[in-house]
Amino acid sequence: MTTQQLIQQIRKKKSFLCIGLDVDLTKIPQHLLKLEDSIFEFNKAIIDATHELCVAYKPNTAFYEAYGLKGWQALHKTINYLDENHPDIFTIADAKRGDIGNTSDRYAKAFFEDLNFDAITVTPYMGKDSVEPFLAYKNKHTILLALTSNEGAFDFQNKNINGKKLYRSVIETSIKWKNSENLMFVVGATKAKFFTEVRKLAPENFLLVPGVGAQGGSLAEVCKHGMTKDVGLLINSSRAIIYASNGTDFAEKARGEAVKIQLEMEQILNQKKIF
């Protein structure tokens, strides 16, 4: 999917919501556990209930790898279901891969060719040759970890290295790499005050923003400091939506939570007179 196609979906749906499909079998409704593929059936129900309200889905691959072959097959089925029924939805493999060049090449092949994701999250720690195999894919997107939402983010990301914050070096350096037009960045919603600085470094790149909802990030603050003329944001919410209920009404309740966020997004877009 091209960036322009993603923007068109944001315009059409008045939404820049990304829903995280992080399936934990201890949290999903118990009646689903009786089904042959409870992971896929949970995802399918969430997708069917929310696809009109979001522009992206983001499965965190750890939640599938943890269940071995069964989990990996459910991930395949989920992506195939999206491709067949909602090809306009942007799909993100939250895999946080990153290794030496030939290994990254295999990762890229796995997620962009076999699974046909539109994007993948990648760690920048090993540098250019570990990231460029992902960037080489036309109309695929590499989402680089820059400033994350977790408690330990500042253990390294905000450290001064030769007078410059590490997260700044990550962004400034990576946008000079080959095919950097395919780059997006992860910036956590709990770091809202840093968005102004991030936008100076990456004024047009899309930002994937986790941390709104269960982690306490503010949608309004993120938009105030991080929104561009084309929105430039994908706001991820996982637990607050998909685990809104653990009863038979789980999909309906998930839709209700997604509606709340979408309406808030539409109001912000109207206020800022975007689109």
Side-chain angles (χ1 to χ4, degrees):
M1 179 182 290
T2 66
T3 301
Q4 192 58 43
Q5 287 172 324
L6 174 59
I7 294 169
Q8 288 171 357
Q9 283 302 303
I10 294 171
R11 179 183 289 112
K12 176 182 177 181
K13 295 180 177 179
K14 304 296 184 186
S15 172
F16 41 103
L17 173 62
C18 172
I19 297 177
L21 298 175
D22 304 346
V23 185
D24 183 341
L25 291 181
T26 67
K27 294 181 179 179
I28 70 173
Q30 292 297 297
H31 71 276
L32 292 178
L33 298 178
K34 301 174 184 178
L35 303 177
E36 182 178 352
D37 192 341
S38 52
I39 297 174
F40 170 70
E41 294 299 336
F42 177 79
N43 283 345
K44 180 178 180 296
I46 295 292
I47 292 166
D48 288 346
T50 62
H51 67 89
E52 296 174 336
L53 303 162
C54 68
V55 296
Y57 288 104
K58 181 180 71 65
N60 185 316
T61 60
F63 286 83
Y64 300 85
E65 295 172 76
Y67 298 110
L69 180 60
K70 178 182 178 180
W72 201 250
Q73 289 173 334
L75 180 61
H76 265 269
K77 288 172 69 174
T78 299
I79 294 303
N80 287 341
Y81 184 76
L82 283 167
D83 284 345
E84 292 170 5
N85 295 277
H86 308 292
D88 56 341
I89 295 278
F90 192 71
T91 56
I92 302 168
D94 192 359
K96 300 179 180 70
R97 296 302 199 260
D99 209 322
I100 60 172
N102 60 346
T103 305
S104 284
D105 181 71
R106 297 295 91 186
Y107 281 141
K109 184 177 178 65
F111 286 99
F112 287 157
E113 294 185 26
D114 181 42
L115 285 163
N116 196 34
F117 275 97
D118 293 306
I120 183 173
T121 57
V122 171
T123 175
Y125 192 74
M126 293 184 70
K128 178 173 69 172
D129 58 314
S130 71
V131 178
E132 285 189 339
F134 299 98
L135 292 173
Y137 279 77
K138 185 178 181 181
N139 296 333
K140 300 289 187 177
H141 304 268
T142 302
I143 309 177
L144 215 59
L145 301 181
L147 193 58
T148 56
S149 59
N150 60 300
E151 183 179 346
F154 284 165
D155 286 351
F156 299 110
Q157 295 167 20
N158 205 39
K159 293 291 186 182
N160 277 307
I161 308 296
N162 295 325
K164 184 180 294 185
K165 303 291 187 183
L166 182 57
Y167 82 88
R168 287 178 54 97
S169 293
V170 167
I171 297 173
E172 287 181 344
T173 300
S174 62
I175 59 176
K176 299 174 185 176
W177 292 341
K178 187 177 181 180
N179 299 319
S180 62
E181 66 274 10
N182 296 331
L183 271 178
M184 298 181 178
F185 296 97
V186 174
V187 182
T190 55
K191 307 295 188 296
K193 67 179 182 179
F194 291 89
F195 274 77
T196 300
E197 190 63 31
V198 169
R199 276 300 178 210
K200 291 178 183 177
L201 304 170
E204 301 297 334
N205 299 73
F206 262 79
L207 307 179
L208 173 64
V209 185
V212 168
Q215 294 183 55
S218 166
L219 174 61
E221 284 298 301
V222 168
C223 292
K224 177 180 178 181
H225 301 291
M227 187 171 277
T228 70
K229 61 179 177 58
D230 293 319
V231 178
L233 301 169
L234 291 173
I235 305 293
N236 184 76
S237 182
S238 302
R239 287 170 286 172
I241 292 176
I242 68 174
Y243 297 130
S245 169
N246 62 359
T248 56
D249 63 346
F250 74 98
E252 179 184 349
K253 293 296 186 182
R255 178 180 176 83
E257 291 302 313
V259 166
K260 292 178 186 178
I261 299 174
Q262 186 275 323
L263 288 175
E264 186 178 356
M265 289 178 170
E266 184 172 357
Q267 184 179 32
I268 290 171
L269 293 174
N270 289 337
Q271 288 173 347
K272 290 182 175 289
K273 297 182 180 179
I274 295 179
F275 306 143

